[in-house]
Amino acid sequence: MKAVAYKKPFAISEANVFSEIEIEQPVATGHDLLIEVKAISINPVDIKMRQRTSPDNDTWKILGHDAVGIVKAIGEKVQNFKVGDEVFYAGSNQRQGSYAEFQLVDERIVGLKPKSLSDAEAAALPLTSLTAYEMLFDRLKIQDTKVEKPVILVIGAAGGVGSITVQLLKVLTEFTVIATASRPESKAWLTEIGADYIVDHSQPLEQQILDLNIGLPHYIFSINGTGRYTQAIANLIAPQGHFGLIDDPENFIINPFKVKSVSVHWESMFTRSTFQTKDLSRQGDILNKVSKLVDDQRIKTTLGQNLGQINVEHITQAHTLIESGKSIGKIVLAGF
């Protein structure tokens, strides 16, 4: 089978970062589904994994998490899927990824693809939906709030995770959503998907949010740039509030949160698959909920750009775009 792979953590500006290779098609055993990959999306975690590869590595690595495909074979322990099912998933960072014609994925982290979406549209959703849903409902537990008229601030809201976060909040909760963005097109996108207020994160956050006159947010979800906003977040969050983050700020200092008894939550979508937790199937359940929300026309795909065929050229282009920090929504590729 064909795959797009790499060995060394070269800068994306260098030539031949990725190569097309031929490898043996894997065999499904246990809980595994063998998926024929139809579409993928590129995520910032793909870039991080490539950049963090050891310079001494000399084996082919296949990146890729988000994918849509068709079940071609099943392992002997599979219970919830059959050959021919159309599925979507975010995979595991412990296995070879979705930049390949075929991929093995544990059925417990797989959902049925939304029927109303194309393969490319559906490929934009899994990783970001899981990250957003887990943060909101498993980490921050916003469903348990005792606050009247709760407010949440979403920092860096125009990307893939933020786009789904805003939509989930608007269709599943009564929260007032403050979203941050700096470019006109990002602000327009957030308005389209329902953000109640939009503030500019390229400018000091505190006064902008105070000027809204809706009170301090009891919940803050920081998607990127947390290191730049830590003190502002500590100043803005309401006493006994809840703060969540998903990025990797250097020297993250938690001390400012003590005086307000703020709970701090870190979310990694890969925790359940990496540690094979007892609630691993929670991810499949979440994806099926997201699929139904899409088919019920309550949320929509966050596809930003479809670059075309899954190949070396387009994967390199996608990595370059994401590293620029200027992409909106998700970057998707479809077909080999």
Side-chain angles (χ1 to χ4, degrees), residues 33-78:
L33 308 176
L34 177 66
I35 309 296
E36 182 181 6
V37 175
K38 296 297 186 179
I40 65 173
S41 72
I42 313 298
N43 288 283
V45 69
D46 298 2
I47 282 79
K48 290 178 183 177
M49 288 179 67
R50 190 195 87 238
Q51 292 173 337
R52 293 172 182 173
T53 302
S54 168
D56 298 326
N57 176 67
D58 199 37
T59 60
W60 289 114
K61 292 182 176 292
I62 303 171
L63 292 169
H65 297 95
D66 280 331
V68 167
I70 299 173
V71 177
K72 304 302 287 186
I74 62 175
E76 67 277 6
K77 294 183 180 179
V78 170

Side-chain angles (χ1 to χ4, degrees), residues 80-127:
N80 298 317
F81 297 92
K82 64 184 185 302
V83 172
D85 282 344
E86 293 183 283
V87 297
F88 73 151
Y89 54 89
S92 165
N93 62 4
Q94 305 297 304
R95 310 181 77 171
Q96 295 282 39
S98 58
Y99 298 4
E101 287 186 287
F102 294 89
Q103 183 185 11
L104 290 179
V105 186
D106 190 307
E107 67 160 333
R108 292 168 290 187
I109 60 173
V110 174
L112 290 169
K113 168 188 171 287
K115 295 180 175 64
S116 58
L117 297 184
S118 68
D119 291 340
E121 290 169 331
L125 291 170
L127 187 147

Side-chain angles (χ1 to χ4, degrees), residues 93-281:
N93 62 4
Q94 305 297 304
R95 310 181 77 171
Q96 295 282 39
S98 58
Y99 298 4
E101 287 186 287
F102 294 89
Q103 183 185 11
L104 290 179
V105 186
D106 190 307
E107 67 160 333
R108 292 168 290 187
I109 60 173
V110 174
L112 290 169
K113 168 188 171 287
K115 295 180 175 64
S116 58
L117 297 184
S118 68
D119 291 340
E121 290 169 331
L125 291 170
L127 187 147
T128 54
S129 296
L130 285 165
T131 300
Y133 199 102
E134 287 184 354
M135 175 59 86
L136 295 176
F137 299 104
D138 294 357
R139 314 296 175 226
L140 295 175
K141 296 186 183 298
I142 63 171
Q143 69 275 17
D144 296 335
T145 186
K146 302 298 190 294
V147 178
E148 190 176 345
K149 296 182 180 179
V151 175
I152 186 168
L153 168 63
V154 183
I155 298 174
V161 173
S163 297
I164 286 293
T165 299
V166 172
Q167 291 188 76
L168 290 175
L169 285 163
K170 297 311 297 180
V171 301
L172 298 179
T173 80
E174 298 299 321
F175 273 66
T176 295
V177 180
I178 308 170
T180 81
S182 59
R183 292 178 293 145
E185 56 268 37
S186 301
K187 294 176 181 178
W189 167 242
L190 289 171
T191 299
E192 180 182 339
I193 61 175
D196 296 294
Y197 300 95
I198 301 168
V199 298
D200 188 343
H201 54 225
S202 70
Q203 303 298 321
L205 287 178
E206 291 179 55
Q207 194 58 50
Q208 293 183 78
I209 291 169
L210 293 174
D211 287 344
L212 298 176
N213 293 315
I214 58 173
L216 298 176
H218 282 81
Y219 296 82
I220 297 180
F221 178 14
S222 180
I223 295 168
N224 52 54
T226 301
R228 298 195 300 274
Y229 306 118
T230 303
Q231 189 59 56
I233 292 166
N235 293 344
L236 281 168
I237 198 164
Q240 302 183 97
H242 299 266
F243 169 53
L245 67 158
I246 60 171
D247 60 341
D248 304 295
E250 292 185 16
N251 304 315
F252 178 58
I253 298 175
I254 199 171
N255 304 60
F257 296 99
K258 179 180 179 180
V259 67
K260 291 183 177 178
S261 297
V262 170
S263 300
V264 178
H265 308 260
W266 228 311
E267 156 66 14
S268 170
M269 188 225 72
F270 298 114
T271 297
R272 286 179 162 124
S273 59
T274 297
F275 295 99
Q276 293 289 293
T277 60
K278 291 182 179 179
D279 63 350
L280 180 61
S281 60

Side-chain angles (χ1 to χ4, degrees), residues 277-310:
T277 60
K278 291 182 179 179
D279 63 350
L280 180 61
S281 60
R282 168 77 168 156
Q283 293 204 327
D285 294 340
I286 291 170
L287 287 173
N288 284 327
K289 289 177 182 178
V290 169
S291 186
K292 186 175 188 306
L293 287 170
V294 171
D295 286 339
D296 289 346
Q297 298 186 331
R298 300 185 70 193
I299 64 174
K300 58 185 178 181
T301 181
T302 55
L303 187 155
Q305 297 180 71
N306 183 345
L307 298 182
Q309 194 174 23
I310 303 169

